[in-house]
Every structure is written in structure tokens, then in C-alpha cells.
């Protein structure tokens, strides 16, 4: 069994927060002929010995900005150690945060939000001072337009005899942002489309991080626009069941599909890639001129939840070579829409979730890395994002089938000195205990009628994963759980080539795995 690449970063814990709306002392200069001003909300989201997490909301109160830079000063020796949704530099106590590609434009009244983790002295963690946006102090109010400096001497002739007009200027300021080039969607993204994924509504948009999230809609006309704000992920756009575009880190855009027959169509947007620390945002659909967005399609009656690691997420499955360093890397070669889970669900006409994270295990991550495991994040809506919380099931997600594929990362690499297990037997015992508790959680969430299938591949020469899964199923059955099964993916019998990045399943392998899983599912007495 080849390696499963780990992706870890410290996740800020979510607990009671301290929020301070900051007004800074005057400093800096105001650009000529520009109304400027800003407001900052600084929130300590969590704090522990030696470290803390914080989020910052900055609102532009002045004229629109096409790029921004927020500065502040730490006064007690705090040092930023990691960050997201911005670029950070620090010199002594002075911190500078710049925008990233997708959040650089700030219209009047618009805001940007970013977060960071930092160290502190365990004695004092005061709020920073001297917040300034592009050099303008964040006082919570605007500074009016400043006349440009005089560069020519004043005229020597007498002033005009006609007095200036005394009529006051209009009370309604002119618009400060250009009109949109395309009309916005009439309703929110989640009103226009159907999704069963773990998403969070933010205004009229939907945010998400888990791989394979998809949105399905209907429209009438010759074209449709897909509104996106995502500089991290890749997407597929599908119309009437056919892929019409692959969008690579599209950023803030409306992607148009044009030239269609003037009739009713379906449209599907799919997130191909993983992004545990970066949120994607779907803003909805826009009809072409003369067209209309139609009522969203009904969800499917069948639902399947796939829980797993890189195999489930589609890590590098589009590659035809195990070394992906020369063909675009892992992300460009990953496609969650053609994983064995997605293919199985599509063959069974089922809606599905891919709750998967490369490199994480049940109790031990790949090669013993990191301190958090998959169970840490299973219930989250936005994975390790700074503001992630428990996903609130809207009550419509009731999978009749749950397929779990965890354990590869726990057992595929040898134990390292210093890990908390001295032997593989100790690791296996801990794995079984945690797995049984995880199954208790699934039963509590979905009830006794949901079928749960525990899958495992060949990890020769170790049999620790196979024997552990078999013991878990026997233990559950002994407790009266009659709707639990195990499924072994036999590499040799299936003919897997593992030509995906870093010895992962290839697209061909995903098709073979989907076939094996679909055949197995069809033997279960499912009532769906």
C-alpha cells in the first residue's frame, strides 16, 4: 500500500469569544480626492496556554478599493504563527495583512474577514492598537475628500464678482460602485438550487469546504451564469448531464454557458477538490437575457453518506502517473465527481455526501502526523476553517446507507519513536475502541435502520486493519446491530493499478471500486 499524503495545519478551537470593535488613533494620510474610512472588529475566538486564535472583520467605509492592506500594532509581544484569507507579515509588534486574490475588492460598506493563530506571553493579551486600512486610521467614520495640494501659484487677477452658489449639495451621494454588468440572481443560491452537502448560508450565497459538494438547478433560455467566489478550488459545470467546463481556481466571477437551445435545461456545479482551510462560495445562477431560473429540482429519495480519507476524496485520481510533480500536482489531478462514492451514488440514482479528508485516520494520521484525527472534524460544517462549527442538519439528510472507509492512514505506515502506541497491537486496540464509539455516534444520528458498510483495502503485509474491521462488525452484531456489514477491496481480484498521485486509486480504479461497491449494495435488503 502506497502512502496517503497528509495535510495538517493547526485548527483554532471554537469557544466563547472576546469581541472588541476597535477605533484607532489618528495616523497616516488620506489620499487626495478620496473619501476614506474603516471599521475593525477584532475577536479573540479562543485562548490557551501559549497560544490564541483571533478573527478580524474590516469594513471599508470610504470609496471602493481594488486592493487593501490592514495594519496594527501588538503591544504585549504577540506573534502571528499562521493565518487564512489574507497574507501576513510581522516586524516586531507591527503586523501587516494584505488581501488575497478573491477578497481584494472592497466596495463602500463591504467587508473582508480573515483569521490567524498567534502566540502570547500567558500574562497579558491586549487588543492591538493603531488599526489602519491602506494607511487610513480605522476610526469608525469617514474622512471626506481632501483637496489636492496647490501646485501652481494663485492667480493675481481679482476674484470673480459672482458669488459661489449657496444651494447645498444633494443629501444622497452618487453611487460609488459601477453598476453590475449582469443582473444578480433573483433569489439566494440555496433557493435556486438543490444540494444535500454540508453548506452554510451567508447572505444570498452558500459557503462550503468538503470535497464533492454539488448544486443542481434548472433554467429556461439560451444560457446561464454561475456566480462563484473561490480562488482555491476547481469545479465542473455540467448542463443537461454533460460537462461543459472545468474551472480552475476561478476567483470572483460569473461563468457563462451560452449558445444553448432556447428551452428548459438542468445545470450542476461540482467542487472537484479538497480545501479544509479555505472556504468556497457559490452565489447562485443568473439567466441569460430573455431566460429565467426555474424552480429547483426535487432531491432524490435515496441518500448515501461516504466517510473516509484520500481514497474517498479522490486524491490525485485523474493522474496517470504516481509522481504528480510534473503534471500539475495533486490538486489539479483530483476530481471528487468521479470517485467510487460519486459513481456508486450516480449508478443508484442517489444523492450523496463525501465527508472525507486526505491523510486523517480514526486515531492515527498518516505517518503519525498531527494531533487531531478524522473524528475531530467529522461533525463540522467548514472543516478546519477558523469559524467552523457543528453542521446543522436541516432535517432532510437521512441517509439509508453510510459507507465508511477509515483506517488506511492508521496502519499504512510504521509506528515512529515517541508515538503513544508502542506496538501495532496497542494501536489496533485503540482503533477498535474509537471505531465502535464512532459507530455509536452514527447510530445516534441516523437511527437503527440505516445500513453501515465498513470498507477496507489490502494493506499487506499487515492484517491489523482487516482483522480490526472484522472484529468491530462481530462486536456490533453481538450487540444486536443487524444492519452493519464489511466489504474488503481485494487489489488483485479487482485489478487496481493505483496510478493516481502517490499510489492512490486512479480514475480507472475508482470505476472498479464503484462496481464492486454497487454490486455489494445491491445485495443488501435496503428499503429505499
Amino acid at each position: 500500500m502506497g502512502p496517503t499524503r497528509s495535510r495538517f495545519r493547526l485548527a483554532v478551537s471554537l469557544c466563547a469569544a472576546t469581541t472588541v470593535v476597535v477605533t484607532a488613533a489618528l495616523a497616516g494620510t488620506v489620499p487626495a480626492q478620496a473619501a476614506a474610512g474603516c471599521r475593525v472588529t477584532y475577536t479573540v475566538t479562543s485562548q490557551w496556554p501559549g497560544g490564541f486564535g483571533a478573527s478580524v472583520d474590516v469594513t471599508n467605509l470610504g470609496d471602493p478599493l481594488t486592493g487593501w492592506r490592514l495594519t496594527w500594532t501588538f503591544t504585549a509581544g504577540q506573534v502571528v504563527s499562521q493565518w487564512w484569507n489574507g497574507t501576513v507579515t510581522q516586524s516586531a509588534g507591527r503586523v501587516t495583512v494584505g488581501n488575497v486574490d478573491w477578497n481584494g475588492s472592497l466596495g463602500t460598506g463591504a467587508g473582508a474577514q480573515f483569521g490567524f493563530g498567534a502566540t502570547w506571553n500567558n500574562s497579558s493579551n491586549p487588543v492591538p492598537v493603531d488599526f489602519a486600512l491602506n494607511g487610513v486610521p480605522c476610526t469608525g467614520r469617514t474622512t471626506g475628500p481632501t483637496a489636492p495640494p496647490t501646485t501652481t501659484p494663485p492667480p493675481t487677477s481679482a476674484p470673480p464678482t459672482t458669488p459661489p452658489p449657496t444651494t447645498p449639495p444633494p443629501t444622497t451621494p452618487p453611487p460609488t460602485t459601477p453598476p453590475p454588468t449582469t443582473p444578480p440572481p433573483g433569489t439566494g443560491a440555496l433557493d435556486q438550487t438543490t444540494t444535500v452537502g454540508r453548506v452554510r448560508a451567508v447572505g444570498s450565497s452558500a459557503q462550503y469546504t468538503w470535497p464533492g459538494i454539488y448544486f443542481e438547478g434548472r433554467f429556461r433560455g439560451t444560457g446561464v451564469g454561475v456566480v462563484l467566489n473561490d480562488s482555491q478550488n476547481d469545479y465542473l459545470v455540467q448542463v443537461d448531464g454533460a460537462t461543459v467546463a472545468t474551472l480552475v481556481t476561478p476567483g470572483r466571477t460569473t461563468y457563462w454557458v451560452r449558445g444553448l437551445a432556447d428551452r428548459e435545461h438542468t445545470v450542476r456545479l461540482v467542487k472537484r477538490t479538497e480545501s479544509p482551510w479555505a472556504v468556497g462560495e457559490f452565489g447562485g445562477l443568473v439567466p441569460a437575457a430573455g431566460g429565467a431560473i426555474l424552480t429547483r429540482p426535487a432531491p432524490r429519495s435515496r441518500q448515501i453518506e461516504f466517510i473516509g480519507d484520500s481514497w474517498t476524496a479522490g486524491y490525485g485520481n485523474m493522474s496517470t502517473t504516481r509522481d504528480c510533480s510534473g503534471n500539475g500536482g495533486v490538486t489539479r489531478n483530483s476530481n471528487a465527481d468521479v470517485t467510487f462514492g460519486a459513481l456508486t451514488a450516480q449508478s443508484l440514482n442517489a444523492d450523496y455526501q463525501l465527508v472525507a479528508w486526505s491523510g486523517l485516520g480514526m486515531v492515527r494520521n498518516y505517518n503519525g502526523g498531527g494531533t487531531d484525527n478524522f473524528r475531530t472534524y467529522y461533525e463540522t460544517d467548514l472543516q478546519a476553517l477558523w469559524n467552523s462549527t457543528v453542521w446543522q442538519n436541516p432535517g432532510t439528510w437521512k441517509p439509508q446507507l453510510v459507507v465508511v472507509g477509515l483506517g488506511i492512514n492508521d496502519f499504512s505506515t510504521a509506528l515512529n519513536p515517541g508515538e503513544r502506541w508502542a506496538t501495532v497491537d496497542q494501536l489496533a486496540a485503540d482503533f477498535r475502541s474509537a471505531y465502535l464509539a464512532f459507530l455509536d455516534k452514527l447510530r445516534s444520528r441516523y437511527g437503527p435502520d440505516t445500513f453501515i458498510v465498513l470498507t477496507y483495502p489490502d494493506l499487506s503485509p499487515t492484517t491489523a486493519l482487516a482483522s480490526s474491521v472484522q472484529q468491530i462488525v462481530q462486536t456490533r452484531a453481538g450487540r444486536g446491530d443487524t444492519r452493519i456489514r464489511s466489504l474488503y477491496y481485494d487489489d488483485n481480484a479487482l485489478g487496481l493499478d493505483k496510478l493516481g498521485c502517490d499510489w492512490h486509486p486512479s480514475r480507472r480504479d475508482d470505476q472498479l471500486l464503484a462496481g464492486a461497491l454497487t454490486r455489494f449494495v445491491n445485495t443488501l435488503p435496503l428499503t429505499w
Side-chain angles (χ1 to χ4, degrees):
M1 168 62 202
T4 303
R5 195 175 95 175
S6 89
R7 302 175 183 175
F8 306 109
R9 200 174 296 176
L10 177 64
V12 177
S13 59
L14 303 173
C15 60
T18 300
T19 303
V20 178
V21 178
V22 180
T23 56
L26 291 175
T29 60
V30 180
Q33 299 296 336
C38 49
R39 179 176 62 248
V40 171
T41 303
Y42 178 92
T43 303
V44 175
T45 55
S46 59
Q47 187 167 286
W48 59 93
F52 70 98
S55 67
V56 181
D57 287 271
V58 56
T59 302
N60 175 32
L61 302 178
D63 287 345
L65 301 174
T66 57
W68 55 266
R69 183 185 71 259
L70 184 71
T71 56
W72 70 76
T73 301
F74 281 130
T75 60
Q78 301 100 318
V79 177
V80 175
S81 57
Q82 64 174 79
W83 52 89
W84 44 92
N85 296 345
T87 60
V88 178
T89 59
Q90 182 171 353
S91 176
R94 192 64 171 170
V95 177
T96 301
V97 179
N99 64 272
V100 290
D101 291 343
W102 59 267
N103 65 2
S105 297
L106 288 184
T108 303
Q113 190 177 67
F114 59 89
F116 64 88
T119 60
W120 67 300
N121 60 18
N122 293 324
S123 175
S124 176
N125 188 13
V127 174
V129 298
D130 296 337
F131 282 93
L133 181 65
N134 289 5
V136 177
C138 293
T139 62
R141 61 181 184 272
T142 58
T143 301
T146 303
T150 301
T151 57
T152 57
T156 55
S157 58
T161 57
T162 304
T166 57
T167 303
T171 57
T172 302
T176 57
T177 56
T181 57
T182 58
T187 54
L190 297 180
D191 298 316
Q192 296 177 326
T193 60
T194 298
T195 184
V196 297
R198 296 187 178 191
V199 301
R200 178 188 294 182
V202 178
S204 62
S205 299
Q207 292 185 341
Y208 42 83
T209 62
W210 291 98
I213 294 283
Y214 60 91
F215 302 88
E216 297 178 323
R218 299 169 57 245
F219 66 96
R220 183 183 66 251
T222 60
V224 66
V226 180
V227 182
L228 282 168
N229 183 5
D230 193 343
S231 61
Q232 300 291 327
N233 290 288
D234 298 350
Y235 292 84
L236 298 175
V237 179
Q238 299 166 342
V239 173
D240 298 333
T243 298
V244 297
T246 298
L247 309 182
V248 177
T249 59
R252 187 188 298 269
T253 188
T254 299
Y255 178 81
W256 281 96
V257 180
R258 303 184 187 274
L260 303 173
D262 191 1
R263 58 177 177 82
E264 292 187 7
H265 301 274
T266 61
V267 58
R268 185 171 184 260
L269 175 72
V270 191
K271 179 176 180 280
R272 287 176 44 137
T273 45
E274 293 186 74
S275 58
W277 303 281
V279 70
E281 186 171 310
F282 170 52
L285 304 173
V286 185
I293 304 302
L294 304 177
T295 304
R296 61 187 180 184
R300 297 167 181 84
S301 60
R302 296 179 175 184
Q303 296 180 338
I304 309 175
E305 181 172 309
F306 295 93
I307 297 171
D309 48 35
S310 53
W311 278 45
T312 304
Y315 179 106
N317 60 345
M318 300 301 288
S319 179
T320 57
T321 174
R322 293 166 185 149
D323 181 359
C324 294
S325 59
N327 66 348
V330 173
T331 300
R332 298 291 85 78
N333 282 288
S334 297
N335 186 354
D337 198 48
V338 293
T339 56
F340 68 87
L343 295 176
T344 299
Q346 292 160 17
S347 71
L348 295 169
N349 192 30
D351 278 322
Y352 62 94
Q353 288 185 359
L354 301 182
V355 189
W357 191 333
S358 293
L360 298 192
M362 182 66 75
V363 295
R364 179 179 183 260
N365 300 326
Y366 176 73
N367 201 31
T371 56
D372 295 332
N373 52 52
F374 181 85
R375 292 175 295 127
T376 307
Y377 300 99
Y378 167 69
E379 295 182 276
T380 60
D381 58 354
L382 301 179
Q383 293 178 268
L385 203 66
W386 66 272
N387 61 342
S388 181
T389 186
V390 174
W391 178 59
Q392 299 300 313
N393 188 333
T396 56
W397 182 244
K398 301 175 182 179
Q400 300 96 336
L401 175 64
V402 175
V403 179
V404 186
L406 290 170
I408 297 175
N409 292 307
D410 298 82
F411 295 105
S412 63
T413 55
L415 291 169
N416 299 306
E419 292 194 56
R420 59 191 179 96
W421 307 278
T423 66
V424 173
D425 287 343
Q426 292 177 356
L427 169 61
D430 199 6
F431 175 83
R432 291 191 296 270
S433 177
Y435 212 142
L436 287 167
F438 185 67
L439 292 174
D440 286 338
K441 176 178 291 187
L442 293 179
R443 279 285 175 241
S444 177
R445 289 169 70 94
Y446 300 133
D449 294 332
T450 295
F451 262 95
I452 302 177
V453 177
L454 313 186
T455 66
Y456 59 99
D458 180 20
L459 284 186
S460 299
T462 181
T463 60
L465 174 58
S467 61
S468 291
V469 171
Q470 293 163 9
Q471 290 181 51
I472 290 166
V473 172
Q474 293 171 2
T475 299
R476 295 292 304 189
R479 296 176 183 176
D481 190 344
T482 61
R483 291 186 169 243
I484 188 164
R485 302 285 192 276
S486 65
L487 173 62
Y488 168 51
Y489 293 134
D490 187 328
D491 285 15
N492 291 328
L494 291 173
L496 304 185
D497 57 37
K498 293 184 181 174
L499 286 176
C501 298
D502 303 323
W503 289 82
H504 279 75
S506 63
R507 182 175 184 178
R508 172 184 172 275
D509 290 347
D510 271 316
Q511 293 169 344
L512 296 172
L513 291 167
L517 180 57
T518 301
R519 290 190 295 272
F520 182 81
V521 170
N522 283 331
T523 68
L524 301 177
L526 283 160
T527 53
W528 60 5

